[in-house]
Amino acid sequence: MAKTNTEEKVTYAEAVAEIEEILAKMNDDELDIDRLGAYVERATTLITLCKEKLLKAQQQVDAVMKPDAE
């Protein structure tokens, strides 16, 4: 199976910044309507990437905070 777009080497901060850029273009009517679909698809990919990174971070925190079973 092919790699998903969410496996990109983009940091969380970079992804959030790019999402904010896309939203700003949409809000300022700078977005070319012919590219709207591509921007929505990219934003969706970036949001999924952010969710995955947050979930992984939460799992790491949970593992560290989990009391040792003695």
Side-chain angles (χ1 to χ4, degrees):
M1 189 170 209
K3 285 186 175 183
T4 64
N5 289 338
T6 59
E7 294 178 9
E8 294 180 51
K9 299 297 181 198
V10 176
T11 67
Y12 181 85
E14 291 168 339
V16 169
E18 189 174 343
I19 292 166
E20 288 173 347
E21 288 175 24
I22 292 169
L23 290 174
K25 287 178 183 180
M26 289 177 159
N27 288 330
D28 294 339
D29 296 325
E30 294 178 30
L31 189 61
D32 179 5
I33 193 70
D34 295 324
R35 304 235 19 230
L36 179 61
Y39 278 107
V40 169
E41 184 176 333
R42 179 66 179 158
T44 301
T45 298
L46 291 167
I47 290 167
T48 300
L49 181 137
C50 288
K51 286 181 179 179
E52 289 172 357
K53 287 182 179 286
L54 288 170
L55 178 61
K56 183 177 179 180
Q58 181 63 52
Q59 291 169 341
Q60 290 172 332
V61 169
D62 289 347
V64 170
M65 300 301 292
K66 183 178 178 181
D68 293 332
E70 293 185 29

